[in-house]
Amino acid sequence: LAAIGRLTANVGHEVKNPINAMVVHLELLRGKLAGGNADPHGAQKHVEILADEMHRLDRVVQTLADFSRPMDLDLRDHDLRRVVEQTIDLAGEELKERGVGVEFSAPAIPVPVRVDAELVRQALLNLLLNAMQAMPSGGRARVTIRRDQRAAVVEIADNGVGIPDSLLPR
């Protein structure tokens, strides 16, 4: 029962994040269209984010349906800088609304990785949203990409309140 409880909480968290992002970008798109702002590039960006979030939500649901068998990874070559940039773009409006600025630092040259980009984006998005929640009055989140010998490293830091001691064991 404890495992089912943890699974349910995790699924709720994974479903809530894309829905929240979809609501934010749908409202932004609605505002642009209602305000007569006919900037097709700006509107298209919101449409693409909505489509990505719907795809991510579908994958979460599919993962739950396939819980009894291992998930197939979609490993492909990516520039890690682009994967991280897409994640920051995805969370950007919600972070901005909450008064959270993001500082992004990465090498000037590509950082090639072989990953399931969607799963990496999902993990990074969760970290950014957790950072936002740790800064209820706003603040700064710092995202850094670096090479460490043969590995690529993404670091996310914030100036939030931190994790309460009572939750650290979890």
Side-chain angles (χ1 to χ4, degrees), residues 18-154:
I19 289 174
N20 286 343
M22 289 164 61
V23 168
V24 167
H25 287 279
L26 186 58
E27 286 302 315
L28 290 168
L29 180 60
R30 184 178 288 144
K32 285 181 179 180
L33 294 175
N37 182 352
D39 174 15
H41 177 69
Q44 184 63 32
K45 177 181 175 185
H46 294 301
V47 169
E48 288 171 10
I49 288 173
L50 284 166
D52 288 345
E53 286 303 283
M54 287 181 212
H55 178 71
R56 190 161 69 95
L57 188 56
D58 181 61
R59 187 161 176 190
V60 168
V61 171
Q62 188 63 42
T63 299
L64 182 60
D66 295 342
F67 183 67
S68 62
R69 59 190 171 121
M71 181 175 27
D72 294 328
L73 295 177
D74 183 16
L75 297 177
R76 296 183 189 198
D77 293 327
H78 296 276
D79 180 353
L80 185 59
R81 299 172 313 162
R82 182 72 183 125
V83 174
V84 173
E85 286 170 354
Q86 289 169 338
T87 307
I88 292 170
D89 285 347
L90 180 62
E93 291 297 329
E94 190 171 356
L95 291 166
K96 189 187 304 180
E97 282 183 7
R98 300 279 184 94
V100 176
V102 178
E103 298 170 13
F104 178 53
S105 173
I109 59 173
V111 180
V113 291
R114 185 164 182 80
V115 296
D116 185 320
E118 188 171 326
L119 291 178
V120 171
R121 276 192 292 273
Q122 184 173 334
L124 294 173
L125 181 61
N126 286 340
L127 291 171
L128 283 171
L129 295 178
N130 287 346
M132 178 187 71
Q133 291 167 359
M135 298 181 283
S137 300
R140 304 289 307 161
R142 189 174 60 252
V143 181
T144 306
I145 297 175
R146 63 180 173 80
R147 296 299 270 169
D148 183 8
Q149 297 175 13
R150 295 186 62 207
V153 177
V154 179

